[in-house]
Amino acid sequence: MYTSISDGIEGAPDGGDARERAFDERLDRALKIEPPDWMPDAYRKTLTRQISQHAHSEIVGMLPEGNWITRAPSLQRKVILLAKVQDEAGHGLYLYGAAESLGTSRDELVLALLSGKAKYSSIFNYPTLTWADVGAIGWLVDGAAIINQIPITRCSYGPYARAMVRICKEESFHQRQGFDIMWTLAHGTAEQHAMAQDALDRWWWPSVMMFGPPDSESTHNVQSLRWKIKLFTNDELRTKFIDQTVPQAEQLGLAIPDPDLRWNDETKHYDIGPIDWDEFYRVIGGNGPCNKDRLQARVDAWEDGAWVREAAAEHARKHGSDAA
């Protein structure tokens, strides 16, 4: 049976200190925070920022691969890619719903993206130049997403955690689909192998940077860990991704584009070369290869869909008044 944080607290809902203690106790007991529960304003704000950024990333992330639906090399590949892009749209809807449960409307969330106030993952500001890029996105980008998102299924906020269960299952399919594309190319002709290697060369470092800035520069890590919004730091997740992906590249017969990559017998992890964080911050700041194109595509979609929203609102108004 679900028990609200306010249940059994003397003076609730007015007793702020009691509610804070109850909130902390629920976190310590690994119990979920639900929408009706009292929560600190900063917790609500942090969750809204993170979940909405995640939702925006799923929606914007449809664009690089959607660009290849009409050019997929076979009918089977086209059907699979269509299914994947449709999945990403669904992920965005689940996550917007979770963010709305925190008290911000979907229109507000979307308008924050369109105005440039809200961010999305930097990885989607890179172009998809060849079919191999679709494979690299599935293998690397979705592979990184899985590592980042599986812990969220155990995060402290119930609607977010539950949404991530289905999302992670579907992302696992996407990762295998991408690996299959890369396998086919890497074991094809010399030209196809070169195409796969080129895609890996271009997508490796942006994928490594997907986990966010190093822990020493992260402004959200400590508090998000305390609130159990995050369960691992950026660097911990990044290390797990690298350790998982390097052997996969070896299976493919492809070379990770890092001359400093070495297995460390002491740490039992791979050491890597320096990350170009200037590039990361440049892309996050709106100056990546495709930032303007990606945002304009979303603005155009919002404006082109205005008549649908207006018609739906009028339909709801009319039928609501009829029912009354």
Side-chain angles (χ1 to χ4, degrees), residues 54-110:
H54 193 167
H56 299 329
S57 298
E58 297 285 355
I59 298 301
V60 175
M62 298 164 62
L63 298 173
E65 293 176 299
N67 180 45
W68 278 92
I69 289 174
T70 59
R71 295 179 287 165
S74 70
L75 179 60
Q76 181 184 40
R77 293 294 190 192
K78 185 190 296 287
V79 170
I80 294 171
L81 185 56
L82 274 167
K84 180 185 178 184
V85 173
Q86 179 177 286
D87 284 349
E88 306 296 3
H91 298 174
L93 293 177
Y94 305 153
L95 292 166
Y96 280 132
E100 283 183 297
S101 72
L102 290 159
T104 303
S105 73
R106 189 166 309 191
D107 282 359
E108 289 178 279
L109 297 170
V110 173

Side-chain angles (χ1 to χ4, degrees), residues 3 7 16 18 63 125 177 212-213 224 241 274 289 300 308:
T3 303
D7 291 348
L63 298 173
N125 289 311
Q177 173 239 358
S224 291
F241 168 72
D300 291 345
V308 179

